[in-house]
Amino acid sequence: MCFRTYIYVLIMWISALPALGQNVTVRGVVSDSLSHEPIPYASVLLLGTDRGALTDENGRFSITTGLHFTGIQVAAMGYDTKRYTPRLTSIINLKAELHPTGVLLSEVTAKPKKEHYSKKNNPAVEFMEKIRARQDLTAQGVANIIIMTNMSESHLPSMTIISMIRPREESTRNSHS
């Protein structure tokens, strides 16, 4: 019995010799097991080494190494991690299907909070209150003021006086003097 075990181990070791020193390429695609959609940026790791890769936008990956590895681990956020133990050949094609975890929602609606209008710290409101407080502006010759309010980059309102229009009688009276 011991002799058979020795022969078996020797045969396995001799059959593994061609694989030593040879580069192995592991390539394939990672997809969702339910929808069969590719999973972009999934992690593919060769166990027993520090070699690994991320899948591209189409779920494809390729890793070439001369190091001996014991298996392949595929993981992605929102999916169960899977481990594979492939036969060692020079090219390993892997089609990994990961099962999604968590709850699948049919629809999500996101609504912003209703913004509360505040007169506080609003320079346009403060300016208009000053104008209303001074009723003597029309007596000074200013009939209309056009004000444009803008939202600045800091999202605080700012204002610009575009024009000040004087009444015609006032301007013609001043020109005759």
Side-chain angles (χ1 to χ4, degrees), residues 129-150:
E129 286 174 353
K130 286 180 184 178
I131 289 175
R132 287 186 196 109
R134 296 187 67 182
Q135 294 295 326
D136 60 337
L137 272 176
T138 54
Q140 293 178 4
V142 178
N144 296 312
I145 299 175
I146 301 172
I147 299 176
M148 180 175 80
T149 33
N150 295 327

Side-chain angles (χ1 to χ4, degrees), residues 102-156:
V103 178
L104 295 176
L105 300 176
S106 59
E107 181 178 330
V108 174
T109 304
K111 294 182 180 180
K113 287 184 176 180
K114 183 178 178 183
E115 287 189 32
H116 176 71
Y117 175 74
S118 173
K119 291 182 181 181
K120 190 176 184 177
N121 298 328
N122 188 338
V125 172
E126 291 174 18
F127 182 73
M128 290 308 293
E129 286 174 353
K130 286 180 184 178
I131 289 175
R132 287 186 196 109
R134 296 187 67 182
Q135 294 295 326
D136 60 337
L137 272 176
T138 54
Q140 293 178 4
V142 178
N144 296 312
I145 299 175
I146 301 172
I147 299 176
M148 180 175 80
T149 33
N150 295 327
M151 294 300 281
S152 66
E153 288 180 13
S154 64
H155 301 291
L156 296 173

